[in-house]
Amino acid sequence: MKAVFSALQLQHNPTRFLARGAIVDYPESPERARILLKGARKAGAQVHATRSFEDEHIAAIHTGRYLKFLATAFRKWSRAKGAFPEVMPSVRPVERPAHYPRDIAGRAGWHLMDFSCPVTEKTWAAVRMSADTALTAAELVAGGETVAYALCRPPGHHAYADRAGGFCYLNNTALAAEYLRRTYQRVAVLDIDVHHGNGTQSIFYARDDVLTVSVHADPAKFYPFYYGYENQFGSGTGKGFNLNVPVPVKSDDEVWLGAVQHAVEAIAEYDPGALVIALGLDAHESDPLKGGAMTTDGFARLARAIAALKRPTVIVQEGGYQTEVLAENLASFLGTYEAGA
Ligand SMILES: [Zn+2]
């Protein structure tokens, strides 16, 4: 298996974010990517360099206004005297209609959905490289590879067409799915991060050519709180093409496996030409975000269940934070998936 990676993704290095009223250290650190790279190598993957893609691929998913904001926010923000060197909103438009303001502080509130997505001087360069990493892996699979792993950082599944959230800026999983649509009539996304893939759900909510399925900790008690419920099943022509499978917070391997098997059955019925797995490893029992109780072996069991679909697959890295077994968890998933694919 090829593991697509670019070290330029490490340039994004925010120092802090707001969690439950406290300003805390930023868990989505460059160190994560170094550990994940070790995990990919441990699974026997060959590292493959990210290549640059044209902007049109990004614009197929994200709005022009949002992309311009991400590319220029830090520079505009830094002109204000006394501004902290990380763009962070302090006001948000909740009701619509609302007017898109000129001032960068207003725009920060428009595009940064929560307080976990600071924009630093190097954020845009890293985020764009993360998107290109997903596109490179999708290109490999469209070109005939059975499976490719995109070591994307920052992650992407909480990002909307027009908004960042949950440490995510551009939706790498959605970009990979959209790229695969050029080759395959139907594409399925299976998100097994402990958090619901709300950005991906939103992006494909009214479409029937991309089935979105997410298994995650119950949002009634866990981020992203407002999205990830069973009654969110799509709209318009997309009705019936979004499936949410919430599991209780702190669920173990057995519960996760049961939920993933249910998801796999729905995907088999849809019969997609290709699959994108939004791979979060944060359902592990030792993950600092504490949403799951899975073991390292549990990830191998999930991989085996999903690989049974036998579809060309892009595996996109989503969450999974620093623990002593982060590399082992990735190796457990990738090694088993490749053997079963
Ligand atoms: Zn997550």
Side-chain angles (χ1 to χ4, degrees):
M1 177 186 316
K2 288 187 171 128
V4 184
F5 178 69
S6 163
L8 292 173
Q9 298 176 108
L10 307 184
Q11 300 175 97
H12 170 63
N13 193 10
T15 57
R16 57 190 197 165
F17 85 116
L18 190 63
R20 297 196 184 254
I23 292 171
V24 300
D25 288 345
Y26 204 71
E28 203 288 284
S29 63
E31 188 55 23
R32 280 184 70 232
R34 292 191 192 100
I35 296 170
L36 290 165
L37 191 60
K38 272 185 207 152
R41 286 198 167 113
K42 202 174 167 146
Q46 310 152 252
V47 179
H48 181 95
T50 301
R51 85 160 179 90
S52 295
F53 281 76
E54 299 292 320
D55 290 340
E56 62 172 290
H57 293 280
I58 315 294
I61 293 294
H62 294 281
T63 66
R65 186 164 73 181
Y66 177 48
L67 297 176
K68 191 173 162 202
F69 165 80
L70 286 177
T72 61
F74 181 82
R75 189 163 38 80
K76 288 179 178 163
W77 179 266
S78 302
R79 284 186 203 135
K81 219 178 167 191
F84 189 74
E86 297 179 10
V87 179
M88 179 77 92
S90 50
V91 57
R92 297 217 53 247
V94 173
E95 283 182 53
R96 296 289 193 271
H99 189 82
Y100 191 65
R102 286 179 65 89
D103 191 89
I104 188 64
R107 290 186 177 184
W110 187 279
H111 293 296
L112 306 175
M113 179 167 72
D114 55 30
F115 305 96
S116 70
C117 290
V119 180
T120 67
E121 187 175 10
K122 298 291 170 77
T123 293
W124 173 241
V127 159
R128 189 64 175 72
M129 201 49 74
S130 186
D132 281 342
T133 298
L135 289 166
T136 303
E139 184 179 55
L140 286 170
V141 168
E145 297 272 345
T146 312
V147 50
Y149 169 63
L151 204 176
C152 295
R153 188 217 162 237
H157 72 149
H158 296 304
Y160 288 68
D162 198 40
R163 273 180 284 163
F167 310 140
C168 302
Y169 300 79
L170 296 180
N171 196 312
N172 307 312
T173 287
L175 289 163
E178 186 71 22
Y179 187 91
L180 291 171
R181 269 288 293 111
R182 296 173 154 220
T183 305
Y184 303 97
Q185 214 173 0
R186 287 187 306 284
V187 173
V189 174
L190 174 55
D191 188 320
I192 57 167
D193 188 282
V194 77
H195 302 95
H196 173 241
N198 54 323
T200 317
Q201 166 175 298
S202 165
I203 286 164
F204 297 115
Y205 206 60
R207 286 171 55 172
D208 63 1
D209 58 335
V210 180
L211 173 72
T212 45
V213 184
S214 180
V215 179
H216 48 265
D218 187 353
K221 293 190 173 177
F222 205 64
Y223 186 91
F225 300 112
Y226 315 105
Y227 318 102
Y229 295 87
E230 284 159 307
N231 65 1
Q232 294 166 352
F233 44 72
S235 69
T237 51
K239 208 175 259 185
F241 297 93
N242 183 73
L243 174 64
N244 287 320
V245 190
V247 296
V249 173
K250 288 278 177 196
S251 285
D252 62 12
D253 292 347
E254 294 302 324
V255 175
W256 271 85
L257 185 62
V260 164
Q261 277 164 342
H262 177 61
V264 163
E265 280 165 29
I267 292 167
E269 197 175 313
Y270 182 68
D271 194 21
L275 177 67
V276 180
I277 301 174
L279 176 64
L281 298 164
D282 42 6
H284 190 266
E285 57 191 353
S286 62
D287 193 273
L289 301 193
K290 303 206 179 304
M294 281 188 58
T295 66
T296 299
D297 183 54
F299 289 108
R301 294 172 72 192
L302 298 192
R304 205 169 295 126
I306 305 165
L309 283 164
K310 303 271 180 204
R311 306 294 149 139
T313 306
V314 179
I315 301 173
V316 177
Q317 185 64 48
E318 296 289 357
Y321 300 90
Q322 245 168 293
T323 66
E324 289 193 345
V325 290
L326 181 59
E328 280 74 15
N329 290 344
L330 178 63
S332 173
F333 188 92
L334 293 185
T336 310
Y337 197 87
E338 190 173 34

